[in-house]
């Protein structure tokens, strides 16, 4: 599914969440293989709550927190070009093997703010404070180097970032440097549809090399 130009009170002064999709408090929301484009809300410009698999959230905005997503759980997702007051890409979210690039925040956490990033890439984001991340980070590629196990600070080595091609070049330091989460990875596919684990070790980010 494609969710485009959805709005949830983002410009009317209301405190509404989930410009593209919202998980209510009494119902689970699971989305797979979706694209959210140019959606807007007070919190969670693209998505608020729920679980997203193999999805793209791009060019979404939030007046407050989570330009891309807010209080959500993500696997193999790409967040690019989103913006918010805090957490340009994501806020208060749990991210597994996600790539966050070119997101922006006016205050803090250009990529991720107050959440968890595992096996991820958060690079080339911008904010006055914590440009790429603010939260718990492990086995991820960020700058500056994040505290935590397995983190790297070198540039990730994208195929063509200018054209939003965030697959990994053959010399990328993100290849085979992730941590295998056996509970979901063994049968999973990456964002491009390839096996999530190759050569016995998972790569960082949404794409397996």
């Amino acid at each position: 599914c494609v969710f485009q130009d959805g709005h949830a009170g983002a410009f009317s002064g209301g405190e509404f969440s989930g410009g593209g999709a919202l998980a209510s408090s009494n119902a689970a929301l699971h989305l797979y293989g979706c694209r959210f484009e140019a959606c807007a809300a007070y919190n969670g410009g693209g998505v608020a709550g729920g679980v997203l698999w193999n999805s793209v959230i791009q060019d979404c905005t939030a007046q407050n927190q989570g330009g891309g997503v807010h209080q959500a759980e993500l696997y193999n997702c790409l967040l690019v070009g989103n913006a918010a007051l805090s957490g340009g890409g994501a806020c208060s979210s749990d991210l597994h093997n996600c790539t966050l690039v070119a997101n922006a925040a006016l205050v803090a956490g250009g990529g991720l703010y107050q959440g968890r990033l595992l096996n991820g890439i958060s690079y080339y984001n911008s904010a006055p404070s914590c440009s790429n991340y603010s939260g718990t980070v492990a086995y991820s590629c960020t700058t500056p180097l994040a505290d935590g196990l397995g983190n790297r600070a070198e540039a990730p080595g994208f195929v063509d970032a200018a054209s939003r091609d965030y697959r990994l070049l053959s010399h990328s330091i993100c290849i085979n440097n992730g941590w295998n989460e056996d509970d979901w990875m063994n049968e999973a596919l990456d964002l491009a549809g390839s096996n999530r684990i190759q050569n016995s070790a998972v790569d960082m980010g949404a794409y397996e090399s």
Side-chain angles (χ1 to χ4, degrees), residues 68-186:
V69 298
H70 184 249
Q71 296 181 342
E73 186 174 358
L74 279 66
Y75 296 84
N76 301 323
C77 291
L78 171 65
L79 297 92
V80 55
N82 304 291
L85 195 65
S86 295
C91 181
S92 303
S93 297
D94 194 6
L95 279 58
H96 303 253
N97 280 96
C98 293
T99 298
L100 299 88
V101 184
N103 302 287
L106 294 178
V107 177
L112 170 69
Y113 183 68
Q114 293 181 344
R116 183 173 76 137
L117 181 66
L118 178 62
N119 294 331
I121 299 173
S122 184
Y123 230 87
Y124 307 123
N125 303 291
S126 62
S129 176
C130 311
S131 60
N132 283 295
Y133 65 88
S134 173
T136 302
V137 181
Y139 293 94
S140 296
C141 177
T142 66
T143 181
L145 181 65
D147 293 333
L149 295 174
N151 293 321
R152 304 291 294 265
E154 301 95 324
F158 295 129
V159 169
D160 189 354
S163 298
R164 291 189 169 182
D165 186 347
Y166 300 114
R167 293 173 298 156
L168 301 174
L169 293 168
S170 60
H171 63 267
S172 170
I173 58 93
C174 298
I175 295 175
N176 296 332
N177 277 319
W179 180 67
N180 292 356
E181 292 184 272
D182 294 334
D183 58 336
W184 69 269
M185 282 184 179
N186 290 335

Side-chain angles (χ1 to χ4, degrees), residues 7-31:
H7 291 78
F11 304 109
S12 63
E15 297 183 8
F16 298 104
S17 300
L22 170 67
S24 64
S25 59
N26 62 352
L29 175 68
H30 293 264
L31 298 166

Side-chain angles (χ1 to χ4, degrees), residues 18-43:
L22 170 67
S24 64
S25 59
N26 62 352
L29 175 68
H30 293 264
L31 298 166
Y32 188 98
C34 296
R35 181 179 295 270
F36 296 83
E37 299 178 354
C39 296
Y42 184 77
N43 289 316

